[in-house]
Amino acid sequence: MQCKNICEILGIEKAVIQGPMSWLTDARLVAAVSNAGGLGVLGPHAGQTAETAATTPEDAAEKMRTEIRKTKKLTEKPFAVNLQPRANNDVWTPPLLRVIKEEGIRVVVYVSYGESAVNQTIFDELKAADIKIIYRDLNPTPENTRIAEAAGADIIVATGFDEGGTLPETVLGTFTIVPLIVDAVKRIPVVAAGGITDTRTAKAAHALGAQGVLAGSAFISTTESRVPQSVKQKIVDANGLDMRLFRTQPAYYRSLPGKLADSLVVMDNAGASRDEMLTAMRGGQGLRTGMLEGNTDEGYISLGTGIGNIRAIRSVADVVNDLSV
């Protein structure tokens, strides 16, 4: 297989990509990752709180513009923006895409699921603007990998069930999904995601054919992370055996213990529907409440299974160095 190196494609020094992580990113974290040689990524609600949350597509786009400009003041190195098009009536992507182009962003992490897998029109618009596409299907398969590659993706993310956040519907661990996706591509590199939190797990991902890693949980407990100290300490004190797993739309979630997380496990075991589970989680608001506000009575702390390898609150630079192998 002939392909460019991930660092060459993205203009970075180390093949480490920070996951978008919804509410948990801001300019400080993203710039720290990029300054350390990796690729920082501004997530969907970067820099926002409950009080400042966007209410319209235009508002969301302009709030992202603000965080992009804050990040530019902190780093001159490349960083990316998360892009998650919707399958139907997508009023959120056009204004965000306009801001991405106007602000000169050179890389997007294109997240998709199911029917929204590949929007060729958006791919073409990104390619016309010379914006690199890191394609991440939340339910990766060889089939959607080949479609994304043919559509113009520059890098593919192979996400295993070991990850945090919204879990793949297919219950395949990182060690299984990474070689499956690596064997499906023809010309472009693959990065591994899911449970990668230290040098050992990063080396394992490379041994499976990945040319880089995408990590989220590993950056949540860093000194530059915007989550409260209480959440960081819970991560340091926990391991994968502590996690609670429960069903929801579109597939599964896991969380550290807490009043809400424990009640969700009870609901799931009692046969609650996935829509009922999602309502109880308050959608993505539960993640913000648990992880950004530290309230596990009304929110949850979603993490990957590799948290047992996180044993201290350290700098972003230390984490990037660990994951760069």
Side-chain angles (χ1 to χ4, degrees), residues 234 242-248 253-269 272 275-302:
K234 285 180 180 179
D242 298 312
M243 302 298 287
R244 308 291 193 253
L245 181 69
F246 43 87
R247 301 170 309 143
T248 183
Y253 253 81
R254 65 167 61 90
S255 171
L256 284 180
K259 183 177 179 180
L260 177 60
D262 293 346
S263 70
L264 289 166
V265 172
V266 172
M267 286 179 61
D268 188 12
N269 291 338
D275 285 333
E276 289 172 333
M277 296 288 292
L278 187 62
T279 298
M281 290 173 67
R282 297 185 298 122
Q285 305 305 312
L287 183 145
R288 185 201 69 216
T289 302
M291 302 193 73
L292 196 56
E293 300 173 10
N295 178 355
T296 56
D297 285 349
E298 301 177 65
Y300 51 90
I301 298 177
S302 179

Side-chain angles (χ1 to χ4, degrees), residues 18-27 29-30 41-49 53-54 64 67 80-84 86 109 111 136 138 163-166 214-217 220 225-227 253 282-292 300 302:
Q18 163 243 309
M21 299 189 292
S22 191
W23 294 91
L24 306 184
T25 64
D26 62 2
L29 175 68
V30 170
V41 183
L42 290 170
H45 306 282
Q48 298 179 42
T49 64
M64 182 61 75
E67 208 63 25
V81 171
N82 184 82
L83 193 65
Q84 191 164 349
R86 303 185 182 193
V109 176
V111 179
R136 185 185 190 191
L138 295 181
E163 73 155 344
T166 303
L214 183 147
S217 298
I220 297 173
S225 167
R226 69 193 299 240
V227 307
Y253 253 81
R282 297 185 298 122
Q285 305 305 312
L287 183 145
R288 185 201 69 216
T289 302
M291 302 193 73
L292 196 56
Y300 51 90
S302 179

